Amino acid sequence: MDQTMEKKKVMLSGIQPSGDLHLGNYLGAVRNWVKIADDYDCFYFMADLHSITVRQNPADLRRRSVSQLAQYIACGLDPQKNTLFIQSHVHEHAELGWILNCYTMFGELSRMTQFKDKSAKHAENINGGLFTYPALMAADILLYQSDFIPVGEDQKQHCELTRDIAVRFNNLYGPTFTVPEPYIPQVGARIMSLSNPSSKMSKSDPAGCVFIMDPPEEIARKFKRAITDSDTERCVRYDPENKPGVSNLMSIYSSVTGLSFDEIERDFEGKGYGVFKPAVGDAVVEALRPIREDAARYLADKEYLRSVYADGAARASAIARKTLRKVYKRIGLVEKPF
Ligand code: TYM
């Protein structure tokens, strides 16, 4: 077959609109999505159904889902090249999610670290959805016969469970799903909190979290206040074990400037944390500035955003429908006569 006619591999990923996009989401996920748009058939969505496993304010959830789309586009995801949609607009996700629940074991779900972390954080609301969340995530991925899942390190365990579910299903009913692989960046896969470098950057810790839409002064302030290490050496050296704070800042700096750790160490030789921290802040401000400005522009054009997510849902549904029909048939559900 002519090389140019070969079907592109499928990439798929999503982010929960449970908070605004932060630097971890950007460096661990979205930035890498942008780099691969030409080489893959890409699907990216706002995982609103996943967000409701934790209580959300309905107006905020609605606003954030649309604002996340504006930020995806501002980060460089061209809606012509990528299918961008809102998860709940493609009802096949919830339907296949239910089915895959029946092929996912209690023991497997019990081992998920995200479930353990979130149930500790939301002890008053450990609902069934929080527990079965990975089966819905598997549905998101398997509906599109995805080959790769570009995510940060923290989603690796869910991706592995998705593979196990796909293999289990294929073994029972014959080839139905492509078995996907996680696609995790070398640098930036695990950005840590600026206020506590032993836990990952997350929207639930706003002081240690840099949001894409934060004003420049706010970003600069957060980096100046970033917790560094209490070692006596106080030099800029990559050593995640003994110097987690400065190593995290180096990962961020390397991600946004493209400099290697060796080059960063050389550039900041003899200069202490007091010089390095604002330099990282400035580099992040400059990297995020065009994104913030473009996102604000897209956000002002609600009609355009609506047309993007309507078109995305139509494209996504056409594919999801086919997979779901195949699954229904495989497991013995009677075909719908209309
Ligand atoms: P979520 O919404 O928590 O995070 C979205 C993406 O951002 C990455 N990420 C990070 N990367 C580096 N450092 C960090 N501190 C950091 N924090 C978050 C995550 O790894 C992820 O890639 N379950 C998913 C959403 C989801 C999904 C899917 C992903 C639902 N369905 C299907 C892929 C495929 C989640 O909660 O990601």
Side-chain angles (χ1 to χ4, degrees), residues 13-14 16 24-25 50 133 137 140 151-152 154-155 188-189 191 201:
S13 203
Q16 299 189 57
N25 299 139
H50 279 92
Y133 174 116
M137 181 160 160
D140 301 336
V151 284
D154 63 336
Q155 293 301 315
I191 301 296
M201 183 177 283

Side-chain angles (χ1 to χ4, degrees), residues 9 32 138 152 159 168 180 308:
K9 297 267 187 201
N32 304 303
C159 296
R168 179 173 301 142
V308 171

Side-chain angles (χ1 to χ4, degrees), residues 117 190-202 205 208 227-229 240-241 243-248:
D117 290 351
R190 192 170 175 80
I191 301 296
M192 309 308 279
S193 160
L194 298 188
S195 57
N196 175 10
S198 63
S199 65
K200 70 167 185 179
M201 183 177 283
S202 124
D205 160 30
I227 301 289
T228 35
D229 312 298
E241 201 150 301
K243 293 160 78 82
V246 79
S247 300
N248 183 41

